[in-house]
């Protein structure tokens, strides 16, 4: 069961700034939870703490049954999709998708199987030999997703993955990501400042303001009782 549990999580940065206050949040197995709020409210900080990229200064974080406060990012069984995709420009799509598996010394045949399966799901099979520079924005976005999928993590973490796309593609990719998440059934925490994105994509939406959790509910309930 891949739940993600934040129990009274706090973040005080080294300069004394208190970015996250007593955050309680339980993301259910297979749930798509969107963390939304204006720029500077602490979304990235919260996500980076789940990923292990930022230290936790108070409270307890669990992924599955495991307390992960002091666990390295690579040992957390999560995969993160960044807003700038962070693709390797000189590697093919195939190698970009398979790179983490190669580092983890997964056998070649298994890498091949998993990369091809991910490419099939993401409709990238025809582009496996191309370099990121030869792809459209939407395709690059899918390669970034492929790198996450192929690791079969307990949870996906996405930080504004659509913010570099134009408006039309953004709407299309919202639907694609939501459908993909449901197909894979992987617990997902998705960060955005875009309220429409939050309301259309999430099973539940958590609203952050100035480092405090204001509300967490289904889009329907938030819409009925804002
Ligand atoms: P969001 O993702 O919602 O835009 P962030 O989590 O990036 O917000 O930032 C939340 C707050 O914490 C902001 O006021 C930001 O300036 C501050 N902050 C982020 N990183 C640091 C840091 N390394 N040191 C001090 N303050 C930081
Ligand atoms: P985003 O809002 O997209 O997360 P930011 O522009 O807020 O990005 O932050 C970019 C980087 O700068 C992050 O690594 C963040 O931790 C750091 N940062 C943001 N605000 C501050 C701050 N006030 N002091 C120090 N570092 C900061």
């Amino acid at each position: 069961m891949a739940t993600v549990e934040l129990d009274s999580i706090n973040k005080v940065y080294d300069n004394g700034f208190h970015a996250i206050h007593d955050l309680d949040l339980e993301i259910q197995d297979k749930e798509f939870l969107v963390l939304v709020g204006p720029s500077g409210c602490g979304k990235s900080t919260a996500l980076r703490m789940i990923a292990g990229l930022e230290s936790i200064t108070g409270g307890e974080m669990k992924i599955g049954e495991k307390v992960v406060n002091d666990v390295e990012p690579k040992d957390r069984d999560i995969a993160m999709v960044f807003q700038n995709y962070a693709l390797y420009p000189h590697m093919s799509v195939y190698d970009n998708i398979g790179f983490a598996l190669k580092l983890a010394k997964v056998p070649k045949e298994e890498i091949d199987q998993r990369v091809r399966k991910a490419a099939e799901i993401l409709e990238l099979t025809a582009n496996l030999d191309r370099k990121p520079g030869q792809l459209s924005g939407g395709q690059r976005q899918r390669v970034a997703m492929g790198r996450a999928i192929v690791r079969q993590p307990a949870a996906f973490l996405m930080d504004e993955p659509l913010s570099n796309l134009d408006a039309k593609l953004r709407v299309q990719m919202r639907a694609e990501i939501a459908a993909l998440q449901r197909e894979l059934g992987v617990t997902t925490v998705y960060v955005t400042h875009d309220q429409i994105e939050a309301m259309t994509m999430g099973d539940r939406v958590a609203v952050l303001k100035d480092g405090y959790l204001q509300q967490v509910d289904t889009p329907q309930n938030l819409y009925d009782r804002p």
Side-chain angles (χ1 to χ4, degrees):
M1 278 270 289
T3 53
V4 178
E5 264 180 79
L6 286 72
D7 185 4
S8 202
I9 290 293
N10 281 271
K11 177 65 185 184
V12 180
Y13 278 109
D14 288 343
N15 66 357
F17 183 74
H18 200 155
I20 296 289
H21 298 260
D22 298 323
L23 177 56
D24 288 318
L25 200 54
E26 194 174 330
I27 300 118
Q28 307 297 328
D29 188 40
K30 300 184 171 46
E31 182 176 30
F32 195 133
L33 182 113
V34 179
L35 196 52
V36 69
S39 180
C41 72
K43 306 179 296 295
S44 289
T45 300
L47 197 73
R48 290 167 59 85
M49 284 195 286
I50 300 172
L53 299 171
E54 199 71 76
S55 65
I56 294 165
T57 56
E60 188 178 86
M61 176 90 64
K62 278 166 100 180
I63 298 177
E65 294 300 306
K66 188 172 170 189
V67 175
V68 295
N69 284 50
D70 298 316
V71 174
E72 295 276 307
K74 67 176 173 51
D75 298 323
R76 285 193 181 203
D77 202 12
I78 50 100
M80 189 142 168
V81 180
F82 295 94
Q83 86 184 185
N84 57 7
Y85 315 145
L87 301 180
Y88 305 110
H90 303 298
M91 285 186 199
S92 66
V93 168
Y94 184 101
D95 289 338
N96 264 282
I97 295 176
F99 191 62
L101 300 182
K102 196 172 165 189
L103 283 188
K105 303 217 174 359
V106 173
K108 240 185 169 148
E109 306 75 58
E110 190 186 334
I111 294 180
D112 191 63
Q113 210 174 29
R114 283 163 69 173
V115 168
R116 289 183 188 283
K117 177 73 185 160
E120 189 189 314
I121 291 170
L122 293 161
E123 294 177 21
L124 285 169
T125 303
N127 297 296
L128 282 172
D129 295 328
R130 298 207 173 155
K131 303 272 168 66
Q134 298 170 292
L135 303 177
S136 70
Q139 288 170 333
R140 279 202 285 272
Q141 219 287 328
R142 287 199 213 113
V143 177
M145 298 284 298
R147 290 210 312 199
I149 288 180
V150 81
R151 293 165 59 191
Q152 302 168 344
F156 277 162
L157 307 178
M158 300 194 215
D159 193 355
E160 307 248 11
L162 306 185
S163 61
N164 290 335
L165 302 179
D166 66 47
K168 193 174 157 207
L169 191 55
R170 197 151 63 225
V171 170
Q172 183 191 327
M173 291 301 298
R174 274 180 200 153
E176 281 190 23
I177 290 177
L180 179 67
Q181 190 273 345
R182 266 141 210 145
E183 182 183 336
L184 297 173
V186 57
T187 308
T188 299
V189 185
Y190 185 105
V191 159
T192 182
H193 65 274
D194 186 328
Q195 295 186 28
I196 296 172
E197 213 161 283
M199 296 294 266
T200 53
M201 293 179 77
D203 293 323
R204 282 191 307 157
V205 177
V207 184
L208 261 190
K209 190 180 176 204
D210 299 333
Y212 290 91
L213 181 64
Q214 294 228 301
Q215 282 177 303
V216 51
D217 214 331
T218 61
Q220 188 64 51
N221 285 345
L222 288 173
Y223 184 79
D224 290 344
R225 293 182 258 110

